Amino acid sequence: MRKLKINSKIKLSVLALSIAGMSFSCSDFLDTPPKDIFTDSNFWTSENNVKTFSWLNYDTFLGYGNNAGTTADFYFHNSSNFDDNLAMNVFTTFNTTANATNSNWNSYYTLIRRSNLMLERVPAVNMDEAKKNHYLGVAKFFRAYTYFRLAQEFGDVPYTDAFLQQNDANVYKPALSRTEVINNVIKDLEEASSLMLAVDDKNVTVNKFTAYALLSRVCLYEGTNRKYNLGQPGSEYLQKAKAASLMVMNNASYSLNSDWKSLYNSLELLGNTEVILAKRYLRGVLGNSIQAYTNTSTVQSGLSKFAAESYSTVNGLPIKQIGGNPQYLGDNTITNVFANRDPRFAKAFGNVDYAYSDKPLNGLTSITGYVFQLYNTPAASGTEVTTIGQNQIDAPIFTLSEVYLNYAEACAELGTATNADLNLSLNKVRARAGIAVLTTDGSNASVGGIQINDPQRTSSLEQITGAVSPLIWEIRRERRMEFISWTSLRKADILRWKKGDYLDGAKNPDVLLGARIPSLIGTASKTKVNADGYVIPYTISRTFISPKHYLTAIPTNDISLYLAEGVELKQNPGW
């Protein structure tokens, strides 16, 4: 049944794509289209057609990637999407010159155009009013989600909320400020949440609570980005982040899974109570390659020293707690490294032994020595584990755990966080993970009556752009551990906190180091280590340039295209 439904969905989506394309340019190619071919004028006649058209939008959710592709929200890195948690098996660095084109720019504006078409056509479709409102909300959701990502990546961008013909004079308009874009995003999401159904196809299509989850993410982003990058007040947005988070948190239909790892290694997330929106994969229809890259002889991307040392011990204290942490046993051996640590550490990475070029472990090697195993599941075997394009674990897109941590961070950034707030949100995530819960006096953070004092919080690295309060520091640590392989979320966090220096090898050497393997010191091993025994994955470094690398360059072809129409698209700073 599931296979039949998804195959039908794909076939109908192809049909809808044809309609979408014809609605834009049919008159350029056909004066009188055949009667058995849908056109824009005869497609918008039923709820089923509207639903089919909306399915096209879901391709924008990358999840674990599509089939053999590695463009994804998790684990895989490229020159525009990498973080400080995982060192890629092939060295990546930041672009230094502006590209002529950008695939995100192109695909995002295509999706916006499709959403605007949907908003224009749906009101005239003969269908149930509640479902009509729902699909109007769906279109607003996807338009908002797409403009949000444009503003995150490019800053000021052209904006239109109308479906325009190609020859319309308004196609080429000056860019709108990112503040105005974000405000329009929030307006769309607030309207979408009032229009959309509470449930529609369980958690594999967007609904009212998906809109609230995205609103929570957007407002937290905007509030903190204003504070740390723009030096502006962000309280209005942080209050909205809290309110949107509570709308999800107060829905009794959502609850955390008992096991954190099950979010990332489940063959089926349909109806999962923690997953607000999932991307599903099915053999013969759509696969991914996330397991194949971590369960075959391909050299794995590996955990960085910088990330490994962020895992606290189960008592909730950082490993370098000033005054000492009796649970931390050091890193002379892998047994010591994992002893008494946050259980998510061993669920995400192998704790039996390191694996590197001279010493594979069960055929596996890692660029940093840490073996990635988060996606392993006993429910899959054979080609569903080892073959590129045939992996079938589902991907979480929006989760309750993210909403909990959005709420906690918003409270801390507002300076209003109480123990009740933490117990309502962050401490549920920590309890599920198996580490001590936090208490606070509003600024400081304590566990078991001991005040946390992490020297890393006030290190020279942190002082470059400014240290944060102990409570905010611990909430950021929690986001990092909870979403360890979620590269798109981590990158967004780094940039909105103005912590791009984390990615710079000169300012943060630990981001370009791996596990400590003292036995390799002074040997002829192909795996190089420094004088202290930490793996050196690369022979070159990486530079993060501020403010340049906080935004992506506007594609130069589009700058030229707009200029030819008499409109200036200004390039971002540093490009």
Side-chain angles (χ1 to χ4, degrees):
M1 184 68 181
R2 181 184 174 196
K3 183 173 182 180
L4 176 61
K5 180 178 178 181
I6 295 180
N7 268 315
S8 299
K9 176 176 173 178
I10 289 175
K11 291 174 182 176
L12 287 169
S13 294
V14 171
L15 174 62
L17 181 60
S18 300
I19 301 306
M22 291 178 70
S23 68
F24 306 153
S25 56
C26 180
S27 61
D28 294 336
F29 300 97
L30 300 171
D31 293 325
T32 306
K35 293 182 179 180
D36 61 346
I37 298 295
F38 275 124
T39 67
D40 184 45
S41 61
N42 67 13
F43 178 77
W44 302 96
T45 57
S46 69
E47 177 186 329
N48 190 58
N49 283 8
V50 171
K51 184 175 185 177
T52 299
F53 188 84
S54 74
W55 280 336
L56 292 168
N57 300 338
Y58 291 84
D59 287 342
T60 198
F61 297 121
L62 301 176
Y64 294 142
N66 294 338
N67 299 314
T70 58
T71 300
D73 288 323
F74 299 83
Y75 181 75
F76 298 115
H77 289 187
N78 57 45
S79 60
S80 63
N81 186 35
F82 55 86
D83 63 17
D84 56 348
N85 288 335
L86 298 174
M88 189 178 177
N89 61 348
V90 177
F91 184 72
T92 54
T93 190
F94 292 97
N95 289 335
T96 57
T97 58
N99 290 326
T101 61
N102 182 288
S103 60
N104 284 349
W105 179 280
N106 295 335
S107 65
Y108 289 170
Y109 276 110
T110 297
L111 177 51
I112 287 165
R113 182 171 170 79
R114 206 158 56 224
S115 298
N116 286 337
L117 174 63
M118 194 170 167
L119 285 165
E120 185 171 294
R121 299 292 190 264
V122 167
V125 178
N126 183 21
M127 58 190 292
D128 177 79
E129 197 68 21
K131 294 305 290 283
K132 180 181 291 188
N133 285 337
H134 174 74
Y135 284 109
L136 289 171
V138 168
K140 286 178 178 288
F141 173 92
F142 280 102
R143 183 171 71 185
Y145 182 52
T146 309
Y147 272 125
F148 171 54
R149 290 176 294 166
L150 277 167
Q152 279 184 304
E153 187 169 352
F154 300 101
D156 301 350
V157 294
Y159 184 94
T160 180
D161 58 3
F163 176 73
L164 303 173
Q165 298 299 329
Q166 298 288 7
N167 60 353
D168 193 302
N170 289 316
V171 168
Y172 298 98
K173 295 168 64 177
L176 206 61
S177 73
R178 59 162 307 284
T179 297
E180 293 176 284
V181 173
I182 291 292
N183 287 341
N184 285 335
V185 165
I186 292 171
K187 180 175 181 288
D188 265 351
L189 289 174
E190 289 175 337
E191 292 175 355
S193 65
S194 67
L195 290 168
M196 296 168 79
L197 297 172
V199 179
D200 183 61
D201 291 338
K202 295 188 177 179
N203 62 348
V204 294
T205 57
V206 298
N207 59 38
K208 179 186 297 290
F209 294 98
T210 324
Y212 282 127
L214 177 56
L215 184 58
S216 167
R217 182 185 292 183
V218 169
C219 291
L220 178 66
Y221 166 85
E222 183 62 9
T224 52
N225 186 69
R226 278 173 173 258
K227 177 179 179 179
Y228 294 109
N229 284 287
L230 304 179
Q232 299 173 2
S235 297
E236 174 189 352
Y237 299 95
L238 295 170
Q239 291 287 3
K240 285 179 178 288
K242 278 186 63 178
S245 299
L246 280 171
M247 294 301 294
V248 178
M249 293 159 60
N250 290 336
N251 184 343
S253 300
Y254 296 115
S255 61
L256 295 179
N257 297 339
S258 59
D259 177 38
W260 168 76
K261 188 171 181 175
S262 66
L263 274 176
Y264 306 104
N265 74 343
S266 293
L267 292 177
E268 183 60 85
L269 289 177
L270 174 67
N272 187 292
T273 60
E274 184 170 349
V275 179
I276 300 166
L277 183 69
K279 177 165 180 170
R280 300 176 78 196
Y281 295 89
L282 179 67
R283 177 183 284 276
V285 179
L286 179 65
N288 61 64
S289 302
I290 199 78
Q291 289 168 287
Y293 279 100
T294 58
N295 284 282
T296 62
S297 58
T298 301
V299 178
Q300 292 185 8
S301 297
L303 186 71
S304 69
K305 177 180 184 286
F306 186 52
E309 293 185 348
S310 290
Y311 282 99
S312 70
T313 46
V314 292
N315 60 12
L317 293 174
I319 62 172
K320 297 178 181 179
Q321 165 82 0
I322 293 176
N325 180 352
Q327 287 195 341
Y328 179 58
L329 304 184
D331 58 4
N332 282 335
T333 68
I334 192 169
T335 301
N336 284 357
V337 167
F338 282 89
N340 306 319
R341 300 292 286 279
D342 181 332
R344 288 170 293 192
F345 194 3
K347 289 184 177 183
F349 301 91
N351 63 346
V352 175
D353 203 353
Y354 298 119
Y356 44 94
S357 57
D358 297 276
K359 189 183 68 59
L361 179 65
N362 298 323
L364 305 179
T365 59
S366 166
I367 193 72
T368 66
Y370 286 107
V371 180
F372 201 91
Q373 62 175 26
L374 178 60
Y375 307 119
N376 291 355
T377 173
S381 61
T383 58
E384 286 198 1
V385 174
T386 60
T387 303
I388 289 173
Q390 294 188 23
N391 306 158
Q392 300 303 322
I393 57 172
D394 288 350
I397 304 300
F398 290 98
T399 66
L400 179 62
S401 50
E402 183 197 347
V403 173
Y404 278 150
L405 296 182
N406 290 349
Y407 177 86
E409 187 178 348
C411 290
E413 289 287 358
L414 286 165
T416 62
T418 64
N419 289 324
D421 288 322
L422 297 185
N423 290 337
L424 191 64
S425 56
L426 174 131
N427 281 335
K428 291 183 178 181
V429 177
R430 290 171 71 91
R432 189 262 298 273
I435 56 175
V437 298
L438 281 181
T439 57
T440 185
D441 60 6
S443 177
N444 293 302
S446 299
V447 287
I450 301 173
Q451 188 166 305
I452 296 175
N453 195 348
D454 186 354
Q456 180 63 34
R457 183 182 67 85
T458 55
S459 67
S460 58
L461 175 64
E462 296 302 323
Q463 297 293 353
I464 295 173
T465 56
V468 297
S469 73
L471 178 60
I472 292 175
W473 179 257
E474 291 306 314
I475 292 171
R476 291 183 179 186
R477 183 198 308 277
E478 192 63 31
R479 286 184 70 89
R480 187 176 199 177
M481 304 300 89
E482 183 70 11
F483 309 127
I484 192 67
S485 77
W486 208 317
T487 51
S488 60
L489 275 185
R490 178 61 180 173
K491 182 187 177 185
D493 284 350
I494 290 170
L495 298 185
R496 68 185 173 91
W497 296 331
K498 200 177 181 181
K499 292 297 180 182
D501 303 303
Y502 288 176
L503 304 170
D504 191 296
K507 297 171 183 173
N508 182 21
D510 287 353
V511 77
L512 298 180
L513 294 175
R516 185 165 184 255
I517 310 175
S519 61
L520 296 184
I521 298 175
T523 70
S525 170
K526 290 186 294 183
T527 299
K528 304 303 179 186
V529 298
N530 67 12
D532 295 317
Y534 293 102
V535 172
I536 304 173
Y538 317 117
T539 58
I540 52 179
S541 188
R542 175 189 298 130
T543 301
F544 182 93
I545 302 171
S546 178
K548 178 176 183 173
H549 289 136
Y550 280 101
L551 292 173
T552 300
I554 303 295
T556 57
N557 280 358
D558 287 273
I559 291 176
S560 299
L561 181 63
Y562 273 70
L563 190 60
E565 299 295 328
V567 177
E568 180 187 11
L569 279 186
K570 292 183 179 179
Q571 187 55 277
N572 282 321
W575 295 98

